[in-house]
């Protein structure tokens, strides 16, 4: 009997030893981290941009580290489609990075609602340097939760060589655009490249069609529940335009099964198999990294105007990307705010404009890049900038929006049904 | 005299019993102490998450904010959720393919490697290669293979003058495409199991069968197959449970698309928990997956138990 007690005592004590050591080692590690400025401090930074942009952030981080020799910033880059999930898991598990990039809008709002993001309104930040529309994209209840750096416009990229060879001009109106599609089809080139597996590339079309047909109010009314909802005739009409394009075989075959990040659609553009692609400003960045030779033949044009549509053809769609935010329970709020300031400094913004081919949300930069010049002009002339639905809407509704649009492209639903389904969910989710 | 010696033996017997009892206790303790590390890991990484999953499934929770207890509401919602049933149906297809395609394919491959053909070593490597690749790499590789325009699969179809198939974008073809890849990737796993089991079949059985006049096919059906039965049963359990739990290949290749044609329980759970911020509902799906897998595994084991009893082995 005695033996039994002894052994069980040993077992139990060993058990607790392991447990307590496991717990305490974590505790002490945290302590040393937060101790005075003499010790090494580590900050985590997550973002989703490849190529030049990644370089630019790395340089900004380096400048920050030089000012703070005792701080080390661990930068992690995760591709787009995977990034969102990565952050959600980290937030849910309480292991979120100190600084993280997002697209603002409804997605960031979800974290703000759960009290996971630091309120920046009272922090030591010069908010005047940002463009107002961009800053508003991360503002909830008059409080600012994110600092914008880039504005990524959604425009058509096209292959100038192919256009010239076929005597085509940049289409200004939708009829001209359809003519381009028909002419290109006859030559055996896929008129439009698309990789719609992640569902957002196709969603751009719905967004633009609804805007060109009914103006920016269509979405604003549906989102704010003022007036017509997501079952507005404009959305039904937009769905019809999409299915008309699909039936004309304007896109490369099997587009709904192609993942965008893997590059299948970009390859079609690079290899002259397709002539046009509606894409984010990130495409310029991709071209420079993946296939620089293509840049010579590449041109851009805005989504064409629809005759008789109520929308202003200068309206442009785009996302604020990246928007930098800080997690609420960071151990070094002052340091992370400083890191944020460096990531949105004029120097970083200038690098971004010069090298990534994108407009910035920060005033006072000098524009040299031809693409940025065009984009900046468009932004200045724009009557309104529309943010992508899937990043503006609450995540659950955003999913329905992407799924119904995907089904429109797949011809597995009708425009009426898609609009109805969307409105049904909207009534449930937006209160 | 006699009674005294009797008493003596009784006393000794009792003593022996006591020693044995002590010995037994000691044995248990030794066994337990050896098991402890594994038990520790098992509890923390398997038992605890399972229990918390069941706990979370009773809440309305977005994963970060406040938890609201809703009782079994998530379960009733799940049972009337069309997507759930659709996903379950796809999992059922997956189980069918795993059990009736992957396992037989693995068996055939193992038989080929045991036959007396030339180039066995090369075949061995070739057969096993797919299983060595990471699933994400396999998924990406096959996305390019199935590319509707430039993919080798369609090029091959065109060469034999068939029409191109838009594999991953059609709702039926997407599921078929992934099932093909699954079979390609996992058949080698069963091949290894069968190979190991075949080595263990005594040569005498074949010799005896030969003396009795059995030919090749008969030898297979009366010696090889019965001897492999335990392996087939354990393979089936692995296949069923694995099919219910699977996630990665579907996530990489279609993400549950197109539409929700390739939605399976794993991707649906993931989408609800991490995309739609419904951690409670996601946990409910996970809990259901666990229950279904458990029922299936117990069912197969029970059938096997009955089979063995019938044969008088048990």
């Amino acid at each position: 009997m005695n033996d039994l007690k002894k052994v069980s005592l040993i077992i139990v004590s060993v058990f607790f030893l392991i447990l307590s050591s496991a717990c305490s080692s974590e505790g002490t590690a945290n302590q040393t981290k937060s101790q005075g400025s003499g010790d090494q401090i580590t900050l985590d930074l997550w973002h989703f941009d490849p190529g030049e942009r990644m370089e630019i952030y790395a340089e900004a981080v380096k400048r920050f580290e030089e000012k703070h020799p005792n701080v080390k910033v661990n930068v992690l880059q995760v591709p787009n489609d995977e990034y969102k999930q990565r952050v959600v898991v980290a937030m849910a598990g309480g292991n979120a990075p100190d600084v993280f990039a997002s697209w603002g809008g409804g997605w960031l709002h979800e974290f703000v609602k759960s009290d996971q993001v630091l309120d920046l309104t009272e922090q030591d930040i010069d908010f005047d340097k940002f463009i107002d529309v961009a800053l508003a994209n991360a503002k909830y209840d008059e409080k600012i939760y994110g600092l914008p750096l880039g504005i990524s416009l959604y425009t058509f990229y096209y292959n100038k060589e192919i256009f010239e060879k076929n005597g085509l001009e940049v289409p200004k109106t939708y009829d001209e655009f359809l003519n381009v599609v028909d002419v290109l089809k006859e030559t055996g080139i896929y008129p439009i490249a698309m990789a719609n597996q992640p569902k957002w590339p196709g969603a751009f079309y719905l967004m633009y069609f609804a805007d060109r047909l009914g103006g920016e109010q269509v979405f604003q009314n549906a989102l704010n529940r003022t007036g017509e909802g997501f079952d507005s005739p404009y959305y039904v009409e937009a769905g019809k335009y999409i299915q008309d394009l699909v039936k004309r075989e304007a896109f490369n075959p099997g587009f709904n099964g192609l993942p965008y990040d893997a590059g299948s659609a970009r390859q079609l553009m690079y290899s002259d198999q397709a002539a046009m692609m509606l894409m984010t400003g990130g495409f310029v960045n991709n071209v420079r990294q993946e296939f620089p030779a293509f840049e010579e033949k590449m041109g851009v044009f805005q989504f064409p105007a629809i005759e008789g549509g109520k929308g202003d053809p200068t309206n442009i769609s785009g996302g604020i990307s990246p928007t930098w935010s800080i997690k609420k329970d960071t151990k070094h709020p002052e340091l992370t705010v400083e890191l944020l300031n460096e990531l949105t400094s004029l120097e970083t913004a200038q690098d971004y404009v010069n090298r990534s081919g994108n407009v910035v949300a920060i005033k006072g930069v000098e524009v040299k890049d031809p693409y940025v010049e065009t984009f900046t002009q468009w932004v200045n002339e724009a009557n309104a900038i529309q943010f992508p639905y899937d990043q503006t809407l609450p995540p659950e509704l955003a999913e329905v929006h992407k799924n119904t649009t995907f089904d429109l492209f797949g011809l597995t639903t009708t425009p009426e049904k898609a609009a109805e389904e969307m409105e049904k969910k909207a009534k449930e989710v937006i209160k | 005299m006699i009674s005294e010696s009797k008493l003596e033996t009784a006393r000794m017997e009792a003593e022996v019993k006591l020693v044995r009892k002590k010995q037994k206790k000691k044995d248990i303790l030794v066994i337990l102490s050896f098991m402890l590390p594994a038990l520790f890991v098992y509890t923390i990484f398997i038992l605890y998450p399972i229990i918390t999953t069941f706990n979370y499934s009773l809440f309305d929770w977005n994963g970060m904010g406040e938890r609201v207890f809703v009782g079994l509401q998530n379960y009733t919602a799940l049972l009337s959720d069309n997507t759930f049933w659709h996903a379950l149906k796809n999992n059922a297809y997956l189980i069918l393919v795993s059990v009736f395609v992957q396992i037989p394919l693995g068996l055939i491959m193992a038989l080929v490697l045991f036959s007396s053909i030339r180039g066995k070593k090369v075949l061995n490597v070739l057969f096993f290669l797919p299983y060595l690749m990471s699933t994400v790499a396999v998924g990406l590789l096959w996305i390019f293979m199935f590319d509707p325009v430039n993919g080798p699969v369609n090029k091959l179809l065109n060469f034999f003058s068939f029409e191109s198939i838009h594999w991953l974008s059609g709702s039926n073809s997407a599921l078929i495409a992934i099932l093909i890849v699954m079979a390609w990737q996992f058949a080698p796993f069963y091949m290894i199991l069968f190979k190991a089991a075949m080595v263990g079949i005594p040569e005498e059985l074949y010799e005896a069968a030969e003396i009795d006049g059995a030919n090749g096919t008969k030898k297979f059906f009366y010696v090889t197959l019965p001897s492999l039965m335990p392996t087939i049963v354990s393979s089936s359990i692995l296949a069923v449970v694995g099919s219910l739990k699977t996630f990665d290949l579907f996530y990489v290749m279609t993400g549950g698309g197109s539409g929700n044609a390739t939605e399976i329980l794993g991707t649906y759970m993931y989408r609800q928990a991490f995309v739609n911020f419904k951690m409670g509902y996601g946990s409910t799906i996970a809990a259901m997956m666990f229950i279904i897998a458990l029922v299936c595994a117990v069912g197969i084991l029970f059938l096997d138990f009955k089979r063995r009893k019938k044969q008088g082995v048990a």
Side-chain angles (χ1 to χ4, degrees), chain A residues 291-304:
Chain A
F291 199 72
F294 183 70
E295 199 173 336
E296 276 172 45
K297 323 182 209 172
M298 185 168 77
V300 286
F301 65 87
Q302 286 211 51
F303 200 94

Side-chain angles (χ1 to χ4, degrees), chain A residues 1 4 15 18 85 88-89 91-92 110-111 114 116 190 197 253-254 257-258 273 395-396 399 403 406-407, chain B residues 25 29 36 40 62-64 143 148-150 166 168-169 251 253-254 258-259 270-271 274-278:
Chain A
M1 275 298 143
L4 181 77
F15 194 81
I18 295 169
Q85 280 80 50
V88 180
V89 176
M91 286 273 183
E110 199 66 34
F111 297 118
S114 302
Q116 299 278 330
Y190 303 121
Q197 197 226 70
L258 299 175
Q273 293 184 79
E396 213 189 330
E399 273 297 294
N403 288 339
F406 183 90
D407 290 342
Chain B
K25 246 175 206 152
L29 276 174
L36 200 71
F40 179 72
N62 74 354
M64 298 165 289
I143 283 173
V149 180
N150 298 321
H166 304 155
L168 294 173
S169 58
Y251 178 68
M253 286 188 69
T254 62
S258 90
Y270 177 79
R271 207 138 59 111
F274 298 118
V275 180
N276 290 354
F277 291 87
K278 285 172 140 185

